[in-house]
């Protein structure tokens, strides 16, 4: 029997089994208690205005790629390419629009307010003078000041909660914790799933305990598919939240078709379709009733596509909240 | 016919073919001219004292893991775990011992003098005061000052040349460029190969052009072995240099045996054997006439195993230079 969102009940039940087996085989989160406490405090702070019409909206921005360990004592892993630039930029625009942001990001990827800095800003941007005073080197002086100040303000005001992950196991367990913590925010919650999540993994239990040995010819590997958590996040974990996912392809010919398929299959409110080579210039927001192309302002060299993208999504989220009122 | 270093001529010739095919299939280095110029200047600066008995010794420290792209427009890749902590620490001790260091390191991994800092020192260690003055936050104040100052001094004095890589293709092409540039340094050159180099790769030409699609069952992959460049580096690229390689295993039972096999097969002067879980506490330096265990000074919490390790290798390098005089 097909549901309105395109998955039938047998499929959903098979998926639930896959998901249970994924979580069962995953190594447990080491800092689960700490994360849970941080989330509880964050949600409490931002749900205090609920019901008086001036409620804070909260978004969970996921960012960067997840890794798939190939060995239990991890020497080798498969990684998904993502600088985290999209997630970091989007976080800045969400904060500017008054959102509180849970930034679920891959360790070491791009951080909010740091996009215009050199690769290694810590070593490249400062010097100590002869009298031991620290000085910011030109030409980075303004960018460094803005990065450090804006970041600190967002964190100290409690507008930005950063939760770092590395593996697919950590990522999905943390996403589930977040979804379980934000229930009281209802429609005021948005999930903006920009992370590059692995499609394939090696189940922990069937993984080589020790480092795979070289020296005996080619290496054959069999990876199994990561269960598609989007449908479950949308329908079971956070059924009231506004959900935006991403589709990245290198082949433009199949991009919109795959984005539209994802929209219906997972019941997303919007899917941002992006192509690897042009993703910093334009994206297409695929929704059930329209596809909206979004471009960077080409007359302004410092502009980026995340600015109009977040404006559009904030509008759609506002409508989602109004619709359910 | 077996050579004294354990490889026979047929093996060497087959290896040369594999290596040629690896380099032929590799995407060309984008910044080759810039790297070549930097290397030429660096070697010129440090070879000026050659022959007067006070020559600078130079070491190429490789650090961090290499990646293997699985798709030409790289979305997914296999990565080798390495924080780059060993290479960064070793670089500090080599500089302290008077060496000039070519630091061939994975982008984004640990940098010299930065080991005792928080994960994201740029955002965690500074604040701007109300009058726009920058201030280093306690308790990081001394560590930040030391990191920035020592790093800047080493770079500005021309003692430290940093060359970043990401893929196995970049790494091996850059290693070859370095070896080709340091010939005039003869025995005064050391290679300290601490990078975690991929054993397997997907040849560029047989690689999927577009992103591998999920949705059609498990993913089977065949990876071929990366040619063992150590033997060629030692015997052909830099035959006079002192060569140290590393062997990392997760299984202690096979570690020393594999390190010793590598010593003979590749003609290394020393192989540093380390086990994943204890590698920060102890290593064993395997040489043709002895195995020397090296431990961190356990009575000093701030000590590390790289301190005695580099002292030992500097001594062995001195003997290598004396032997060939």
């Amino acid at each position: 029997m097909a549901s309105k969102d395109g998955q039938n009940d047998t499929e959903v039940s098979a998926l639930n089994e896959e998901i249970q087996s994924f979580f069962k085989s995953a190594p447990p989160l080491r800092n689960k208690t700490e994360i849970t406490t941080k989330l509880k405090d964050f949600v409490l702070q931002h749900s205090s205005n609920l019901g008086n019409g001036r409620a804070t909206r909260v978004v969970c921005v996921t960012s960067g790629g997840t890794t798939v360990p190939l060995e239990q004592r991890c020497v080798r892993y498969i990684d998904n390419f993502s600088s985290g630039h999209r997630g970091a930029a989007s976080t800045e625009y969400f904060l500017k629009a008054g959102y509180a942001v849970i930034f679920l990001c891959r360790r070491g990827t791009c951080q909010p307010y740091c996009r215009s800095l050199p690769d290694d800003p810590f070593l490249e941007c400062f010097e100590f003078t002869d009298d031991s005073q620290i000085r910011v080197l030109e030409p980075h002086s303004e960018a460094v000041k803005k990065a450090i100040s804006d970041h600190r303000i967002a964190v100290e005001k409690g507008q930005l909660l950063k939760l770092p992950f590395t593996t697919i196991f950590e990522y999905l367990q943390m996403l589930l914790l977040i979804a379980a913590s934000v229930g009281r925010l209802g429609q005021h919650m948005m999930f903006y799933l920009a992370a590059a999540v692995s499609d394939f993994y090696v189940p922990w239990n069937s993984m080589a305990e020790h480092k795979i040995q070289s020296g005996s010819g080619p290496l054959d590997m069999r990876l199994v598919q990561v269960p598609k958590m989007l449908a479950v996040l949308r329908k079971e974990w956070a059924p009231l939240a506004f959900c935006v996912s991403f589709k990245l392809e290198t082949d433009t010919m199949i991009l919109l078709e795959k984005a539209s398929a994802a929209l219906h299959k997972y019941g997303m409110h919007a899917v941002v379709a992006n192509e690897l080579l042009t993703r910093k210039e334009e994206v297409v927001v695929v929704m059930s009733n329209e596809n909206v192309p979004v471009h960077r302002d080409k007359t302004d060299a410092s502009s980026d596509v995340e600015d109009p993208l977040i404006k559009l999504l904030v509008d759609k989220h506002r409508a989602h909240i109004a619709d359910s009122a």
Side-chain angles (χ1 to χ4, degrees), chain A residues 18 22 168 172 197-201 224-229:
Chain A
E18 272 181 60
F22 177 91
I168 178 78
L172 286 175
V197 182
S198 318
D199 292 319
F200 298 98
Y201 79 112
V224 303
Q225 285 196 46
V226 173
K228 301 293 183 189
M229 305 281 182

Side-chain angles (χ1 to χ4, degrees), chain A residues 123-323:
Chain A
L123 290 175
E124 300 302 326
C125 294
F126 304 101
E127 69 172 9
F128 277 87
T129 57
D130 292 341
D131 56 345
S132 273
Q133 292 298 301
I134 190 166
R135 218 166 61 84
V136 186
L137 292 167
E138 293 297 346
H140 307 298
S141 158
E142 275 312 299
V144 165
K145 188 179 162 192
K146 198 171 151 40
I148 291 174
S149 303
D150 289 359
H151 183 268
R152 188 156 294 277
I153 288 168
V155 172
E156 284 177 0
K157 273 191 173 169
Q159 295 300 115
L160 175 60
L161 174 63
K162 304 210 288 187
L163 299 175
F165 65 83
T166 302
T167 69
I168 178 78
F169 300 110
E170 289 173 327
Y171 173 79
L172 286 175
Q173 288 180 89
M174 288 165 84
L175 189 62
L176 176 55
L177 277 188
I178 293 167
S181 307
V182 299
R184 65 193 296 166
L185 294 168
Q187 289 84 358
H188 291 82
M189 182 71 197
M190 187 197 297
F191 283 89
Y192 178 87
L193 305 161
V197 182
S198 318
D199 292 319
F200 298 98
Y201 79 112
V202 184
W204 191 258
N205 299 329
S206 73
M207 208 178 281
E209 185 189 352
H210 289 297
K211 188 179 168 192
I212 298 163
Q213 292 300 315
S214 68
S216 40
L219 174 67
D220 292 309
M221 282 195 304
R222 167 156 286 198
L223 297 141
V224 303
Q225 285 196 46
V226 173
K228 301 293 183 189
M229 305 281 182
L230 287 183
V232 187
L233 169 71
R234 170 73 188 85
K235 291 169 198 165
E236 299 182 15
W237 296 356
L240 300 177
F242 185 75
C243 289
V244 182
S245 71
F246 282 72
K247 192 51 125 175
L248 172 73
E249 292 292 339
T250 63
D251 186 349
T252 39
M253 301 301 289
I254 59 171
L255 177 59
L256 287 184
E257 189 192 321
K258 291 197 71 101
S260 178
L263 184 83
H264 292 103
K265 187 164 183 189
Y266 309 129
M268 291 289 112
H269 297 96
V271 175
V272 182
N274 54 144
E275 198 272 321
L276 189 65
L277 294 178
T278 60
R279 69 192 191 283
K280 294 188 175 171
E281 297 296 319
E282 59 178 26
V283 298
V284 178
V285 180
V286 175
M287 291 166 289
S288 62
N289 53 348
E290 57 178 340
N291 288 0
V292 182
V294 177
H295 298 271
R296 171 176 100 72
D297 175 2
K298 289 192 178 64
T299 63
D300 174 2
S302 71
S303 77
D304 42 40
V305 70
E306 287 81 8
D307 187 359
L309 172 62
I310 302 310
K311 284 199 178 92
L312 174 68
L313 292 174
V314 165
D315 280 348
K316 298 293 173 188
H317 188 201
R318 192 178 291 121
H320 170 81
I321 297 170
D323 280 353

